Amino acid sequence: MDKPIWEPSRERAEASNMARFLRFVRERTGNPDLLRYAPLWEFSVREPQRFWPLVWEFCGVRASGELEPVIEHPDAMPGARFYPNIRLNFAENLLRHRDAHPALIFRNEWGHARELSYAELAAQVGRFSHALRAAGVGPGDRVAGLMPNMPETIIAMLAAAALGATWSSTSPDFGVAGIVDRFGQIAPRVLVSIDAYPYDGKTHDVLGKLRGVLDAIPAIEHTVVLDYSGQHASLAGLRGAQGWDDFSAGHGEALEFTPMPFNHAQYIMYSSGTTGVPKCIVHGAGGTLLQHLKELVLHTDLKRDDRIFYFTTCGWMMWNWLVSSLAVGATVVLYDGSPFHPDGNALWDLADETGISILGTSAKWIAAIEKAGVKPRQTHKLAALKTILSTGSPLVPESFDYVYRDVKDRVLLASISGGTDIVSCFALGNPLLPVYRGELQCRGLGMKVDAYDDAGRAVRGEPGELVCLAPFPSMPVGFWNDADGSKYRAAYFERFPGVWAHGDFVEITAHGGVIIQGRSDATLNPGGVRIGTAEIYRQVEQVPEVLESIAVGQHWQGDERVVLFVRLRAGAQLDEALRARIRQIIRANTTPRHVPARIEQVPDIPRTLSGKITELAVRETIHGRAVKNTDALANPQALAHFAALRASLETH
Ligand SMILES: CC(=O)CC(=O)SCCNC(=O)CCNC(=O)[C@H](O)C(C)(C)COP(=O)(O)OP(=O)(O)OC[C@H]1O[C@@H](n2cnc3c(N)ncnc32)[C@H](O)[C@@H]1OP(=O)(O)O
């Protein structure tokens, strides 16, 4: 059982950035024992004040100011601040290369194919940045993107970052309410959007949603619309709207970068919980950069001649992570569309056509193409492919077998895990280590990750709560609109004081690997797409017949599906018409991925003594597991209604 499924060759390991880094750290610290990953990791978490400057120097961060202190208040969790006396510009770090090497290769379902060199990218960023400045954007302003994964999204983000503005993006599959719930909170000055986009053989309109968004967010002064579909749709009637080309016309290309504090708000990302509107998580410029460089250069072994691809929307942190690859000067391959269009080979075709060497995707997709009988080993060359990354949900042991059997045997398969909250990973790949079925190779350097039982004791060889015991640079710098930090503390530090509790169940294995078991909190994760239940409740409860509802994730065919339970007004009955209406309102206002797979009626919903509905108690009940703490429930008898539905939920 403990035999690796794959091991790096000696040549591959020795040529890796991680091996070079080990040598570099040995020289700099004079510690001859740092010969393997395990002692390097120990050093990184024991001496963060020495470790992070080594990453900084090895990766060549561009900045000015004093490097000391590395961490101010190093024992405060939260409260520690990295590099308080440093200034840098995020875009300047990502655009350090300005040559003819390809920066971006883009493909989409419509057959668009484009390539931009680093020089061309820099010129386009320069022009858009001047246009944003002319529109009044300056340091600290927010620029929002309702954009697919395409070059203009990166151009707009870098242009905003060059000015010291904050970027926030959301995928255009959200309905008006989902968009307004997000961007409405951060009051962006400029909104960048497309007119329409392709997904799964269809053209999805965005212009129609823009009016509702603009009506609800008066802060937006300018709306820049890219004619992505080429249909030259009229922008008449859209407040402050201009086409992308008109907006940028007449501006010069010279890049200017405004130096910003290390902890300046670079990105705002969204995470929906069980109540209220989504949380706006603010990530700092320097912390995001340093952490991404560590993960890309060391853990992913990214080099200049690599072509890196990740299947992601601009609403998932893998987009932000992928874009940081520009700092290495590598080529970033972008794809907009369904990874199943026209068939399950779409991404393998892309890999062969564009020479992808690092291909990132999700556990759900790998399981889906296996089921569809896709066997790229027989049909594709995949000559350049050396690493496959997977995230979103746990990659099951059988998927490791599939990849090595039917995709490619000489490939490092790295399951990686972290999240929006940290815009990076807790555990991930490593070019020096073997791959064990079902395991993430290691905890990330500098990440003091552990597994805790309910009493806050570290456990090994069994699942516990994923915790991080020490500060790391990509902790959020805070939440937006949370001046006293109470929402931020409540999100991660209430479970164990002074310790980050992430909301995942994790096991740390005997050989230092990590197995993620799934969410320990009420977050839904169907197909690896993270969804907060509140977004569903806010829609369902607009349906007049529904008094209240509760949504949980049910294990289903190796994945998770969303099951929604509704309590209806006296006399109302849940029939197919009502189910369809509930699905429709969710689909229209959130995204199609929020739509529950099953909807059932219950006469009562369990709540705590303080009146909060308890998703975890319902989740345990429908899986036939004992519910802890029924004493804390005001109406434990309500669980019987869910237990009664268990057999039906298990069969269809
Ligand atoms: C380090 C970390 O920890 C970081 C992270 O986790 S970041 C998050 C990573 N998460 C992921 O990578 C998610 C992985 N999952 C997926 O990408 C997708 O589930 C999948 C590609 C595997 C399958 O996608 P899919 O085939 O479109 O199915 P699914 O996601 O179930 O889509 C449901 C519906 O939404 C629609 N849809 C999906 N994306 C859409 C879009 N952009 N626009 C419009 N409709 C869309 C689909 O067409 C489908 O519609 P129908 O119900 O009408 O058929």
Side-chain angles (χ1 to χ4, degrees):
M1 169 227 158
D2 245 8
K3 261 188 74 178
I5 190 166
W6 182 85
E7 284 184 89
S9 66
R10 177 185 282 263
E11 303 77 65
R12 179 170 177 167
E14 276 178 5
S16 69
N17 291 331
M18 187 70 97
R20 271 202 307 126
F21 184 66
L22 256 176
R23 290 195 286 273
F24 173 76
V25 178
R26 265 202 309 274
E27 275 162 28
R28 287 306 167 94
T29 60
N31 181 347
D33 298 333
L34 297 176
L35 288 167
R36 290 177 305 108
Y37 183 74
L40 179 66
W41 183 81
E42 293 290 342
F43 161 76
S44 75
V45 296
R46 193 177 58 240
E47 298 194 55
Q49 313 253 15
R50 290 177 80 197
F51 167 72
W52 288 106
L54 292 168
V55 176
W56 179 291
E57 190 184 339
F58 190 80
C59 297
V61 175
R62 301 193 170 190
S64 58
E66 287 298 315
L67 285 164
E68 295 289 334
V70 174
I71 313 174
E72 190 179 52
H73 312 305
D75 300 321
M77 182 83 161
R81 278 179 92 73
F82 280 70
Y83 293 109
N85 299 324
I86 283 290
R87 293 181 85 81
L88 54 74
N89 186 281
F90 188 76
E92 183 172 15
N93 275 276
L94 267 58
L95 288 174
R96 60 182 76 178
H97 300 275
R98 318 252 176 97
D99 55 12
H101 193 68
L104 303 177
I105 295 177
F106 172 60
R107 300 286 184 270
N108 69 9
E109 269 191 21
W110 283 329
H112 295 179
R114 274 197 285 155
E115 189 171 316
L116 266 83
S117 68
Y118 271 91
E120 288 163 336
L121 174 64
Q124 296 211 27
V125 172
R127 187 176 298 122
F128 203 76
S129 187
H130 289 295
L132 284 176
R133 194 198 299 267
V137 174
D141 285 334
R142 273 79 58 210
V143 176
L146 185 61
M147 293 291 283
N149 183 14
M150 66 187 301
E152 280 74 10
T153 318
I154 297 181
I155 291 165
M157 181 281 281
L158 289 172
L163 299 172
T166 301
W167 173 261
S168 185
S169 47
T170 285
S171 135
D173 53 334
F174 270 100
V176 172
I179 299 164
V180 171
D181 279 352
R182 287 165 172 75
F183 293 160
Q185 295 189 69
I186 64 161
R189 205 161 193 166
V190 175
L191 173 67
V192 184
S193 174
I194 30 69
D195 60 334
Y197 67 94
Y199 193 87
D200 204 17
K202 291 182 220 109
T203 293
H204 298 263
D205 175 63
V206 179
L207 272 189
K209 293 194 263 196
L210 278 183
R211 189 185 307 274
V213 171
L214 294 174
D215 284 349
I217 313 181
I220 299 173
E221 294 166 16
H222 299 270
T223 304
V224 183
V225 183
L226 180 72
D227 180 25
Y228 183 27
S229 71
Q231 288 169 350
H232 307 297
S234 163
L235 304 181
L238 282 179
R239 180 170 54 79
Q242 252 180 306
W244 175 283
D245 293 337
D246 291 342
F247 182 74
S248 329
H251 292 285
E253 294 176 348
L255 278 165
E256 287 168 36
F257 299 109
T258 307
M260 298 300 292
F262 186 89
N263 291 301
H264 147 73
Q266 185 57 58
Y267 285 133
I268 301 178
M269 314 211 41
Y270 306 92
S271 167
S272 168
T274 51
T275 54
V277 287
K279 297 185 281 280
C280 304
I281 304 173
V282 184
H283 285 292
T288 303
L289 176 71
L290 192 58
Q291 176 84 339
H292 284 183
L293 282 171
K294 181 203 80 183
E295 296 190 343
L296 290 162
V297 173
L298 301 179
H299 287 278
T300 314
D301 201 23
L302 181 69
K303 296 177 179 150
R304 214 177 171 207
D305 55 7
D306 276 312
R307 295 189 163 198
I308 182 168
F309 165 82
Y310 220 109
F311 181 81
T312 181
T313 74
C314 297
W316 301 337
M317 54 127 301
M318 293 318 304
W319 179 81
N320 310 66
W321 190 87
L322 175 69
V323 174
S324 293
S325 305
L326 295 172
V328 179
T331 302
V332 178
V333 180
L334 308 172
Y335 173 72
D336 178 34
S338 163
F340 300 111
H341 187 83
D343 58 39
N345 276 310
L347 299 187
W348 302 124
D349 295 345
L350 181 73
D352 266 355
E353 193 226 327
T354 60
I356 291 169
S357 56
I358 302 174
L359 183 140
T361 177
S362 60
K364 168 78 189 280
W365 180 77
I366 293 178
I369 58 163
E370 176 179 8
K371 214 166 161 190
V374 171
K375 293 189 173 152
R377 197 165 171 177
Q378 296 171 9
T379 50
H380 289 68
K381 292 199 176 68
L382 305 182
L385 188 67
K386 61 173 193 185
T387 300
I388 296 177
L389 307 171
S390 168
T391 193
S393 52
L395 189 67
V396 295
E398 296 72 24
S399 289
F400 284 73
D401 299 337
Y402 165 67
V403 167
Y404 284 106
R405 187 185 61 236
D406 291 332
V407 180
K408 185 164 178 168
D409 54 359
R410 279 178 302 141
V411 81
L412 191 167
L413 174 59
S415 173
I416 67 176
S417 181
T420 314
D421 321 72
I422 64 165
V423 70
S424 63
C425 303
F426 285 115
L428 66 173
N430 191 324
L432 301 181
L433 296 178
V435 175
Y436 292 88
R437 289 172 84 236
E439 290 188 24
L440 290 74
Q441 284 177 290
C442 63
R443 290 174 277 182
L445 287 172
M447 306 297 280
K448 202 169 183 183
V449 168
D450 218 322
Y452 266 12
D453 68 11
D454 285 345
R457 285 178 304 238
V459 288
R460 286 292 173 275
E462 60 177 280
E465 185 75 38
L466 192 164
V467 291
C468 191
L469 308 179
F472 48 94
S474 68
M475 289 170 72
V477 292
F479 284 0
W480 198 256
N481 294 333
D482 181 32
D484 64 357
S486 54
K487 285 191 214 158
Y488 176 43
R489 278 193 304 279
Y492 311 109
F493 301 99
E494 252 174 17
R495 183 85 203 275
F496 306 107
V499 168
W500 177 290
H502 193 61
D504 276 340
F505 275 128
V506 70
E507 178 182 332
I508 297 174
T509 66
H511 34 71
V514 170
I515 300 172
I516 308 276
Q517 310 272 355
R519 294 297 300 183
S520 63
D521 66 9
T523 304
L524 306 169
N525 201 30
V529 178
R530 184 175 162 164
I531 293 173
T533 52
E535 290 209 275
I536 297 178
Y537 303 153
R538 283 156 60 90
Q539 300 311 323
V540 179
E541 286 158 22
Q542 289 178 42
V543 175
E545 291 87 338
V546 177
L547 288 177
E548 63 175 352
S549 62
I550 190 163
V552 298
Q554 183 198 6
H555 294 309
W556 185 253
Q557 297 178 349
D559 187 19
E560 177 179 311
R561 66 175 184 176
V562 178
V563 181
L564 177 75
F565 300 93
V566 288
R567 185 163 75 84
L568 301 182
R569 235 185 24 214
Q573 204 50 44
L574 184 69
D575 54 16
E576 281 317 307
L578 182 53
R579 282 193 174 93
R581 255 196 298 137
I582 293 173
R583 289 203 171 96
Q584 174 50 27
I585 192 165
I586 296 174
R587 181 178 275 262
N589 289 303
T590 60
T591 80
R593 290 182 167 129
H594 286 66
V595 178
R598 286 276 301 262
I599 305 177
E600 296 301 328
Q601 182 173 359
V602 282
D604 196 8
I605 287 178
R607 29 183 83 255
T608 60
L609 295 170
S610 51
K612 194 175 172 312
I613 59 171
T614 58
E615 287 92 349
L616 293 185
V618 170
R619 188 179 74 185
E620 297 308 278
T621 304
I622 64 160
H623 288 100
R625 297 188 294 250
V627 175
K628 289 183 203 163
N629 255 340
T630 40
D631 292 356
L633 297 182
N635 55 344
Q637 67 282 1
L639 290 172
H641 308 304
F642 297 85
L645 285 166
R646 194 178 140 207
S648 149
L649 288 171
E650 278 172 357
T651 49
H652 64 281

